[in-house]
Amino acid sequence: MARNQTKYSYIADEVRKRVKEHMYPLDRPIPDEMTLSEEFGCSRMTMKKALEVLVLEGLLYRKRGHGTFIIKSALDADELQIHNQEVNGFTKLLKGQKVETKVIHFEVVFPDEVVAERLNIEKEAPVYDILRVRGIDAEPYVLEHTFMPVNVIPGITKQVLEGSIYTYIEEELNQKIASSYKQIRADKPDELDEQYLNCKKNEPVMEVEQTVYLNNGVAFEYSRSRHRYDKFVFTTVNIAKR
């Protein structure tokens, strides 16, 4: 279990991995909460919370009186699944796969009006200006343009950027990432999309504009990520409360 990771989050990761590796049959319920809590050495409440994470992701569903089942369609998609309730970086979304990162641009600048407003900082406060392309097996998935306040996230280097910034924040800076505000829109590709995402002029891209916050309420990231249309799915799960 990673440092700063909660028990239920660790269990959710393990069950998610098992589901995606087809360790549980699709035509029968997965092991019940009591069986799983004994296996993982945790309380039933912790196990219930871990499974609830996967229900909210749209990977599992509960059938009253019958158990918890895998949603088959969630395993069919080849695209990157981004869920409306997730606050994850690209590396966590593709856990188990080797993410390749190319740093295109990295410098410290003063923010413009939009960046300063989104991060709730003064225009005199320096920020990292980062442009990276992320992908797998030499196949580009997303072009990320990110701004972070230097005083909130100190010590970022090119080496950090070639890995996972979120892992650095959580494991090296001992900060907890808590929430995000996202806007998602379709757009036409620009020159950078064509160059780094291998987009054709008539292929759309999906842009995710987001501000991300630490658990103390401080905004630490404002970014605009450009996703290839064939590598990106935004999933929302609505559960009726009875």
Side-chain angles (χ1 to χ4, degrees):
M1 187 166 66
R3 186 171 59 182
N4 289 340
Q5 186 177 28
T6 61
K7 180 73 171 181
Y8 80 85
S9 175
Y10 165 76
I11 295 171
D13 286 347
E14 179 60 29
V15 175
R16 185 188 301 109
K17 179 182 176 183
R18 294 180 182 184
V19 169
K20 293 189 175 182
E21 291 179 353
H22 304 282
M23 294 178 64
Y24 298 131
L26 295 176
D27 58 346
R28 296 199 299 273
I30 67 171
D32 59 41
E33 288 178 6
M34 183 63 71
T35 300
L36 288 171
S37 62
E38 290 177 357
E39 178 187 351
F40 284 98
C42 68
S43 68
R44 192 167 180 177
M45 183 61 68
T46 298
M47 180 54 61
K48 182 177 181 179
K49 192 171 182 180
L51 294 181
E52 189 66 23
V53 169
L54 303 182
V55 169
L56 291 173
E57 286 183 6
L59 189 63
L60 302 177
Y61 73 97
R62 300 181 189 275
K63 189 173 181 180
R64 186 181 296 273
H66 292 82
T68 303
F69 293 80
I70 298 167
I71 297 178
K72 297 178 184 179
S73 60
L75 301 180
D76 294 337
D78 293 327
E79 297 93 343
L80 172 61
Q81 296 274 334
I82 296 182
H83 300 275
N84 66 324
Q85 295 179 337
E86 286 183 328
V87 188
N88 285 326
F90 187 79
T91 301
K92 282 191 177 180
L93 289 174
L94 290 166
K95 183 172 293 187
Q97 301 187 62
K98 182 174 175 55
V99 174
E100 299 166 354
T101 301
K102 179 181 178 181
V103 180
I104 301 167
H105 174 85
F106 174 44
E107 66 175 332
V108 175
V109 300
F110 292 112
D112 63 21
E113 186 173 348
V114 172
V115 173
E117 179 184 358
R118 296 294 193 277
L119 292 174
N120 194 28
I121 57 176
E122 301 294 332
K123 289 185 180 179
E124 295 75 22
V127 297
Y128 302 108
D129 182 347
I130 305 160
L131 185 65
R132 304 187 297 171
V133 61
R134 325 286 305 280
I136 298 173
D137 296 330
E139 186 78 11
Y141 274 58
V142 57
L143 183 65
E144 300 176 345
H145 195 183
T146 305
F147 300 90
M148 292 182 172
V150 174
N151 69 321
V152 177
I153 309 296
I156 287 184
T157 64
K158 188 171 183 289
Q159 183 178 6
V160 171
L161 298 180
E162 288 172 344
S164 167
I165 299 178
Y166 281 21
T167 298
Y168 170 77
I169 291 170
E170 293 178 330
E171 297 187 4
E172 299 299 324
L173 300 183
N174 293 316
Q175 299 271 25
K176 184 166 180 57
I177 299 167
S179 61
S180 67
Y181 174 77
K182 297 180 182 178
Q183 290 183 314
I184 300 176
R185 61 180 69 90
D187 198 5
K188 296 178 180 179
D190 58 24
E191 291 183 2
L192 288 176
D193 300 325
E194 293 175 23
Q195 180 178 356
Y196 293 108
L197 294 180
N198 297 335
C199 292
K200 297 178 181 178
K201 291 184 180 298
N202 61 344
E203 292 180 336
V205 295
M206 297 296 293
E207 181 177 81
V208 179
E209 181 180 7
Q210 70 172 2
T211 305
V212 192
Y213 301 86
L214 299 172
N215 65 342
N216 59 7
V218 174
F220 76 90
E221 174 191 325
Y222 170 65
S223 62
R224 294 185 294 269
S225 300
R226 310 275 287 185
H227 296 256
R228 275 178 44 163
Y229 80 97
D230 58 341
K231 300 293 184 184
F232 170 82
V233 170
F234 181 80
T235 302
T236 180
V237 179
N238 298 307
I239 299 176
K241 296 187 180 295
R242 301 182 186 279

